[in-house]
Amino acid sequence: MLKQKSSEYRGYRTAGIRLREEMLPQLGKIYGGHMQAFLPAVHAFDKAHTVMLVEEGLLDLPAGIATLRGLRQMEAEGVVESRLRSGGGLHSGEQYLIRMLGEEIGGRFHLARSSGDLSTIGINTLQREKLLGLMRAVNRLRRVLIDLARNHTDTILPGYSFGQHAHPMTLAHFWLSWVATLARDFDRLHGAYRRVNVSPAGAAIMVGSNFPVNRERTAELLGFDAVHENCADAILELNADDSLDVPAVIAVLYHSLAKWADDLIQWSTSEYGFVDIPDRYCNTSSIMMQKKNVIGPAEVKGASAEALGCFVTSYHALKGTTGLPIMERYYALDMLWRVADNAVRDLGWFCDLMPLLQIHKEHMREQAWRHWATATDLAGALVSERDLPWRTAHQIVGILVRLCAERGLGPADVTP
């Protein structure tokens, strides 16, 4: 094959170079679909890498200026749109610039890079963006719950253990337990962010490059906190634990969201009647016209199942002999972007719904003591007022409850 004309350049995978045939169009379409989410991050990498090459004397200044102008031209046309038109996926910038400037200039700025660090830059950048959005959403819900708790320090509700009435508590106390959980979720998300926000730029595919690139400078320009010291560790094709870390922490977050959704659904039932959920979060039955089905929280429960599925998919997609799982990872990542966006959506949904709940305070208070939930306090009073051993007081009150149950008596029927 003769060298491609710059104006018709179709990339290094064109038939007649290494391969005899063009890739099947349907395969190219699938691969391009995986890569589309990375294009803005890859565009930023193209610019940062060009600046670094010029600063290190690996690309002369006129070529660097022409390259950056070409990349800015792509921005004027729309980064994603112009790159999709150019083709080449991760290498769409190179294809665009070779067609625009010729291979003598446009063919130089890919020096010391590979699809490995290009794709991992895209993955790490997207993961950190999703994590930042999640951390903001978590903190917003923490603020909403803290504000609500201030208004419900005197709202009494039953606590439950094994599905049975346990100690009464305040609604403020209960919601602050959600706040405490979210604080741990934030710590987990932030920990994942710190581990993800490390640059693989300059690692190429596994051993770096013979050219004296400045990896720290590229990382600085791209907003990463550090660089991967080991180039093999930097590339997702070889070491994928950070792409397990992110779906894992989101799945843990969703576990709590689903549990709280269950609480709200249960509290809104006729049997409980603790809260009323606004109709905008509900629908009704096509046959049982009396029903008010709580749909919003049910959607959260469904999304939580996908979050767990994302972690399991990621686990299986990324295991295998080092350097073997390549394309599988993109299916897991496609799911991860959706799961992360869903989590931000559902955290926002909680923020909007919680202040709108109609709390049936008197009914909650009544239920809090009806089923012997304050028995522990009675035993405590026997210890404090009569100096009985705790186990003795425990047994006395236990016998009292059993005898009352046998005689059909409730707490209100008990006399000294």
Side-chain angles (χ1 to χ4, degrees):
M1 168 181 173
L2 298 176
K3 181 179 178 182
Q4 299 178 68
K5 293 181 180 180
S6 294
S7 60
E8 300 173 0
Y9 182 74
R10 295 190 296 117
Y12 63 90
R13 292 190 175 102
T14 301
I17 303 177
R18 170 59 182 89
L19 305 175
R20 295 187 180 91
E21 299 177 320
E22 299 285 353
M23 181 186 290
L24 288 172
Q26 55 266 45
L27 287 178
K29 185 176 181 180
I30 293 171
Y31 180 74
H34 293 314
M35 297 300 108
Q36 185 170 338
F38 303 151
L39 294 181
V42 169
H43 186 80
F45 186 15
D46 284 350
K47 292 194 294 183
H49 187 68
T50 301
V51 170
M52 181 275 295
L53 291 177
V54 172
E55 291 178 347
E56 298 301 313
L58 296 170
L59 182 65
D60 65 46
L61 184 59
I65 292 172
T67 298
L68 290 172
R69 282 177 174 165
L71 293 171
R72 293 301 298 271
Q73 178 62 35
M74 294 184 80
E75 294 169 10
E77 298 172 10
V79 168
V80 174
E81 295 80 2
S82 62
R83 285 177 174 268
L84 291 176
R85 284 195 303 271
S86 299
L90 300 173
H91 303 276
S92 49
E94 182 180 52
Q95 291 198 182
Y96 181 96
L97 291 171
I98 288 177
R99 292 174 192 167
M100 177 184 182
L101 304 172
E103 192 167 324
E104 182 59 30
I105 295 178
R108 292 185 178 276
F109 85 118
H110 187 61
L111 182 74
R113 292 198 299 177
S114 165
S115 298
D117 52 355
L118 279 165
S119 61
T120 308
I121 281 285
I123 292 166
N124 286 10
T125 300
L126 265 178
Q127 286 188 130
R128 76 179 180 187
E129 288 176 0
K130 301 299 184 184
L131 288 167
L132 286 170
L134 282 164
M135 285 188 280
R136 284 191 291 268
V138 164
N139 279 344
R140 181 185 170 210
L141 182 53
R142 290 165 75 184
R143 287 192 295 270
V144 167
L145 291 169
I146 289 170
D147 290 341
L148 285 173
R150 292 192 179 100
N151 298 326
H152 287 282
T153 57
D154 61 348
T155 302
I156 310 299
L157 77 157
Y160 291 90
S161 174
F162 287 89
Q164 304 296 318
H165 279 236
H167 293 291
M169 67 176 82
T170 66
L171 191 54
H173 184 68
F174 184 74
W175 278 341
L176 289 175
S177 74
W178 293 16
V179 173
T181 300
L182 288 168
R184 291 191 294 274
D185 284 314
F186 183 91
D187 286 343
R188 282 185 283 266
L189 291 163
H190 186 251
Y193 174 85
R194 288 189 294 102
R195 290 183 287 277
V196 160
N197 199 34
V198 180
S199 173
I205 194 60
M206 62 183 68
V207 294
S209 167
N210 292 332
F211 297 96
V213 296
N214 187 337
R215 298 183 63 213
E216 289 76 13
R217 176 59 171 154
T218 308
E220 177 189 25
L221 291 169
L222 291 172
F224 288 102
D225 293 330
V227 299
H228 283 280
E229 293 184 4
N230 184 287
C231 289
D233 176 62
I235 304 304
L236 182 60
E237 294 167 352
L238 304 179
N239 192 0
D241 64 300
D242 63 342
S243 285
L244 291 177
D245 200 3
V246 177
V249 298
I250 297 176
V252 173
L253 168 62
Y254 249 125
H255 181 272
S256 298
L257 295 180
K259 180 176 69 173
W260 301 337
D262 266 329
D263 287 337
L264 296 179
I265 292 171
Q266 188 176 62
W267 287 5
S268 70
T269 61
S270 300
E271 288 74 14
Y272 277 75
F274 290 172
V275 301
D276 189 45
I277 294 177
D279 288 356
R280 73 193 74 165
Y281 296 95
C282 307
N283 70 9
T284 189
S285 168
S286 63
I287 185 172
M288 296 170 286
M289 68 293 297
Q290 82 281 5
K291 292 190 70 186
K292 179 178 176 178
N293 299 324
V294 179
I295 298 300
E299 289 286 353
V300 175
K301 292 172 61 181
S304 74
E306 186 179 35
L308 177 59
C310 179
F311 174 72
V312 174
T313 299
S314 300
Y315 182 92
H316 286 286
L318 294 168
K319 71 179 184 178
T321 306
T322 301
L324 182 61
I326 305 296
M327 300 313 297
E328 302 98 303
R329 61 181 174 163
Y330 294 118
Y331 287 88
L333 289 166
D334 288 343
M335 185 184 294
L336 176 60
W337 313 141
R338 182 173 64 253
V339 165
D341 290 342
N342 287 346
V344 172
R345 176 201 66 196
D346 291 339
L347 285 161
W349 169 81
F350 268 101
C351 291
D352 296 337
L353 171 63
M354 297 304 293
L356 300 176
L357 291 175
Q358 182 180 346
I359 310 295
H360 301 309
K361 296 177 65 170
E362 293 305 318
H363 179 62
M364 276 186 172
R365 180 184 292 272
E366 180 184 355
Q367 291 299 311
W369 68 274
R370 284 176 60 87
H371 302 285
W372 304 98
T374 56
T376 301
D377 297 315
L378 176 57
L382 291 175
V383 172
S384 300
E385 301 297 327
R386 292 292 181 263
D387 193 30
L388 293 179
W390 167 252
R391 187 53 58 205
T392 303
H394 183 281
Q395 293 182 46
I396 289 171
V397 177
I399 292 169
L400 168 68
V401 172
R402 175 174 58 80
L403 292 175
C404 287
E406 291 171 354
R407 299 173 188 179
L409 302 175
D413 303 315
V414 174
T415 66

